[in-house]
Amino acid sequence: MRFLISLAFLVLFSTSAHAAIAFFPAPSGNSAAPVLTVYSSLDEPLARPMIIGFQKANPDVAVRYEDMLTGEIYDRIVKETDAGQKTADFAFSSAMDLQVKLSNDGYAQRSELPMSGRWPAWANWRNTAYALTFEPAVFVYHKPSFRNERPPATRAEFVDYLKRQGSAVFGRIGTYDIERSGVGFLFMSRDQEQFGDIWTVIQAMGAAGVKLYSTSQAILERVSDGRFVLGYNILGSYAADWASRHPDVGIVLPKDYTVVMSRIGLVPEAAASPELGRRYLEFFMSKEGQTIMARELQIPAVSPDVAGENTANTMQEMLGGQLKPVPVSPGLMVYLDQVKRARLIARWNEVLRLQ
C-alpha cells in the first residue's frame, strides 16, 4: 500500500526562525489579482502540486503560502484576530487539537460547501473544521535486521521482541518525544485510550534504551542505516516516502489497531478574503483536489469520491476496524488542559526512567 510523499527541492526565503513564504503569481498574468493567503504546516514543496492545481482552476488568483510550525499557525491566528487585524484566508495544520480549538473558540467560520454533507462524519466538525488527509501511525523497521524473523505486527509482539532481543537491540529503538512532538503526543494520548496495557509497551521501550526525537526524519534516518532496528508510532506518510527512497526501511500497520491522524483545514473568522479561503477549501475537498493529493502529494485522500489504493475508502475496506481515525471533535482538546497534559507526560517520563 502506497501513501508516499514526493519531495521536491525549492529555495525559500525565511521570514522568521520557523516560517518561510512562497509567492505564486496569478497564472493569468494579472499583477492586481486577489491574493489567497495560506498558513500551513505542510512543507511548501509538498503542497506545490495542490497550489498549482488550484490556480489552474482559478487562474486569476495569486497565492501567498506561509510555511510554519503548527503552534505558530495557532498563535498567529489568535494574536492577529484578537488585535483586530486580518489573518490567513485558509489554515492547514497537522495539530488536530489546536485546529479544533480555533474552531471551538470562535476563531474559525462555517464553510458550507458542496461536499460538506457527504464528508465523513468523523472528519467534519460543524462544517467549520475539516479533516482533509488520512495518515496512519506505523511501525518502521530495518529490513536486514529481520532476515530471520518477521517484524512485530502488534504491540504485544513488539514487547515480546524487545524482551527476547535484550542487549542486542538496546539503544536501537526510536519514537517521538511526546514533550516536543505534537503528533507524538497525539499518538500517545490515543494509545492510552485504545490499549489498556500501553504502559507495558512504554516500559519495554524504556528497558530497551529507547531514543526520543521530535521529528520523523531523525528516526527514519537511523532505521534506514541500521543504527535503529525499530521505530514506534511513526507518521505513515513520511515513513512511506522514506521507504520509497531507502529500500532497507520496512513499514507495518499494527494489526491490533492503527491510529490514523489527519491534517485539518479551516477558514479563520478574521480571514482577509474568506471567499478565497472557502474556494481553496472547496478545491481541497473536491474530487480533483483530493486526487491530486493522493496521486501527486501521495498523502491518503479522505473524499468518498476518490478511488484507488491511496484513499481512506480503500484502506478501510482492506483493514476495517483495525483503523482508528482520530475524530475531529472537541474531544481532541482534552490534553490541551495543562494539568492533564502534564500528568500524561510525567507518567511517560516516570515509566521510561523506571528502567
Side-chain angles (χ1 to χ4, degrees):
M1 181 178 299
R2 295 162 52 240
F3 33 100
L4 316 178
I5 293 179
S6 301
L7 295 176
F9 177 75
L10 180 71
V11 177
L12 301 175
F13 54 91
S14 295
T15 58
S16 76
H18 302 295
I21 293 176
F23 187 78
F24 297 78
S28 66
N30 179 7
S31 60
V35 178
L36 162 70
T37 299
V38 177
Y39 292 173
S40 176
S41 62
L42 181 65
D43 295 347
E44 187 277 341
L46 308 184
R48 177 173 276 238
M50 186 67 75
I51 296 169
I52 292 172
F54 171 77
Q55 287 191 309
K56 185 176 179 180
N58 298 270
D60 201 39
V61 177
V63 177
R64 175 186 172 92
Y65 192 88
E66 299 201 30
D67 176 0
M68 61 185 80
L69 300 175
T70 57
E72 286 184 303
I73 293 172
Y74 175 84
D75 290 341
R76 284 274 299 274
I77 291 173
V78 170
K79 289 177 182 177
E80 289 166 353
T81 303
D82 288 353
Q85 303 170 358
K86 295 300 181 181
T87 189
D89 305 314
F90 182 74
F92 185 55
S93 172
S94 57
M96 298 182 72
D97 49 1
L98 294 178
Q99 291 290 83
V100 169
K101 184 169 174 58
L102 286 175
S103 175
N104 189 73
D105 293 353
Y107 290 95
Q109 53 185 275
R110 288 178 67 89
S111 295
E112 308 287 352
L113 302 169
M115 285 298 295
S116 294
R118 299 189 58 240
W119 212 246
W122 64 266
N124 178 1
W125 174 244
R126 296 182 174 176
N127 290 354
T128 302
Y130 293 89
L132 301 174
T133 69
F134 195 80
E135 303 177 62
V138 302
F139 299 166
V140 295
Y141 65 97
H142 180 242
K143 288 182 179 178
S145 296
F146 288 89
R147 287 196 181 100
N148 299 320
E149 64 177 309
R150 65 180 179 83
T154 67
R155 286 160 183 81
E157 290 179 4
F158 188 87
V159 170
D160 178 67
Y161 174 81
L162 297 183
K163 289 181 176 178
R164 284 190 293 105
Q165 293 296 318
S167 60
V169 299
F170 187 85
R172 300 179 65 199
I173 310 298
T175 193
Y176 296 118
D177 181 344
I178 70 168
E179 290 190 75
R180 295 187 295 151
S181 168
V183 71
F185 186 90
L186 173 66
F187 288 155
M188 179 58 209
S189 63
R190 295 300 290 181
D191 270 347
Q192 187 172 231
E193 295 170 7
Q194 295 290 337
F195 190 56
D197 205 23
I198 188 59
W199 294 108
T200 298
V201 179
I202 307 307
Q203 186 176 34
M205 286 199 292
V210 66
K211 301 295 177 63
L212 307 179
Y213 298 89
S214 59
T215 67
S216 305
Q217 179 175 327
I219 299 165
L220 290 163
E221 282 179 352
R222 289 162 174 79
V223 171
S224 67
D225 65 17
R227 281 178 286 171
F228 286 0
V229 293
L230 286 167
Y232 178 79
N233 262 4
I234 309 305
L235 189 59
S237 50
Y238 289 107
D241 167 61
W242 203 270
S244 72
R245 297 178 288 110
H246 300 83
D248 284 345
V249 175
I251 296 173
V252 173
L253 276 72
K255 291 182 178 179
D256 44 359
Y257 66 90
T258 300
V259 175
V260 181
M261 63 81 68
S262 300
R263 300 170 200 262
I264 293 177
L266 56 79
V267 177
E269 178 63 31
S273 301
E275 71 285 352
L276 290 182
R278 265 189 286 278
R279 202 186 305 179
Y280 191 66
L281 176 57
E282 180 178 345
F283 180 78
F284 226 126
M285 295 172 68
S286 70
K287 183 175 182 179
E288 180 183 0
Q290 288 274 298
T291 299
I292 289 173
M293 189 175 71
R295 294 182 182 176
E296 297 188 43
L297 279 68
Q298 293 297 328
I299 300 177
V302 174
S303 173
D305 291 347
V306 180
E309 61 184 10
N310 204 28
T311 65
N313 273 348
T314 299
M315 293 173 69
Q316 287 171 323
E317 286 173 6
M318 293 177 62
L319 302 172
Q322 174 182 332
L323 298 175
K324 304 295 182 183
V326 179
V328 182
S329 75
L332 280 162
M333 297 189 296
V334 168
Y335 289 100
L336 289 176
D337 180 304
Q338 292 304 304
V339 173
K340 291 180 179 178
R341 182 181 179 86
R343 284 175 180 164
L344 179 58
I345 290 173
R347 186 171 184 189
W348 161 272
N349 287 328
E350 179 185 4
V351 172
L352 288 180
R353 279 197 294 263
L354 283 175
Q355 308 304 320

